[in-house]
Amino acid sequence: MKTIYVKPKDVQRKWYLIDAKGKALGRVACRAASIARGKHRFFYVPYHEVGDYVIIVNAEKASLSGNKSQNKLYYRHSGYPGGLKVENYEKLVTRLPSSPMEKAVRGMLPRGPLGNKLYSNVKIYAGWEHPHQAQQPETLEL
C-alpha cells in the first residue's frame, strides 16, 4: 500500500467555529489544537501544516472545574531581576478575557516555526462577534 502524501499548498482548508460558552477550557483548547494541527485528516503528517482554521468565540465564558478559577496561576516575567508576575485565572480573565484560552491552545501546539504557523490559523474572541462570517464556518459540537 502506498503512503498518501499531500503537499500543504494542495490542501483544501475549511473553517470551524467552536462556541466555548459553558464548556471546559481544556477540552475546547484540545479540540481546537487538534483541528488546527490536522490530526482529523487521513493524510496527517506531523511535520506539515495540513490543518484547518478554527474560530473560538465566547472564550471568556469557558468554565473551569473545582476551585481552579481561584487556584490556577499564570506566570510571566518582565526580564528584570525579581520581575516575576503571578496572577490567578479570575484576575487574568478580567484583565484580558481571551488570554487563558490563547495560552491553553498555544501550549497544545508544537514549539518552533510550525507551531507559530499553526497558531496563526486559530482565531480566539472573547465575545460572540467575529469578523470571519464570509468564510462560512462550520459549527463544531464538543
Side-chain angles (χ1 to χ4, degrees):
M1 177 179 254
K2 255 185 117 164
T3 302
I4 297 171
Y5 182 78
V6 179
K7 295 179 182 175
K9 66 177 182 171
D10 297 334
V11 175
Q12 296 293 326
R13 298 195 193 318
K14 291 172 66 177
W15 285 76
Y16 292 101
L17 177 72
I18 299 176
D19 184 9
K21 184 176 183 180
K23 304 216 172 48
L25 177 96
R27 290 187 188 268
V28 172
C30 182
R31 185 77 169 129
S34 178
I35 291 170
R37 186 109 195 250
K39 289 190 168 190
H40 63 292
R41 297 192 172 212
F42 66 91
F43 50 83
Y44 165 74
V45 287
Y47 48 85
H48 276 306
E49 186 237 336
V50 293
D52 292 320
Y53 295 94
V54 181
I55 304 164
I56 301 174
V57 294
N58 291 327
E60 67 181 347
K61 295 178 181 155
S63 65
L64 294 176
S65 61
N67 293 329
K68 288 182 195 160
S69 59
Q70 292 89 25
N71 297 341
K72 186 169 179 58
L73 300 176
Y74 290 91
Y75 300 92
R76 66 184 195 280
H77 199 280
S78 67
Y80 291 98
L84 183 66
K85 310 287 185 194
V86 180
E87 61 185 335
N88 64 8
Y89 176 82
E90 287 179 341
K91 289 183 182 177
L92 184 62
V93 166
T94 56
R95 192 168 62 83
L96 299 167
S98 62
S99 183
M101 185 68 71
E102 291 170 1
K103 289 177 183 291
V105 172
R106 186 65 189 232
M108 294 181 187
L109 292 173
R111 308 303 182 264
L114 178 63
N116 296 340
K117 177 62 180 122
L118 293 173
Y119 184 68
S120 70
N121 295 341
V122 179
K123 316 297 183 190
I124 301 173
Y125 300 99
W128 178 251
E129 297 295 321
H130 64 87
H132 306 288
Q133 293 297 335
Q135 283 75 26
Q136 299 171 345
E138 181 182 321
T139 304
L140 272 181
E141 292 297 324
L142 298 182

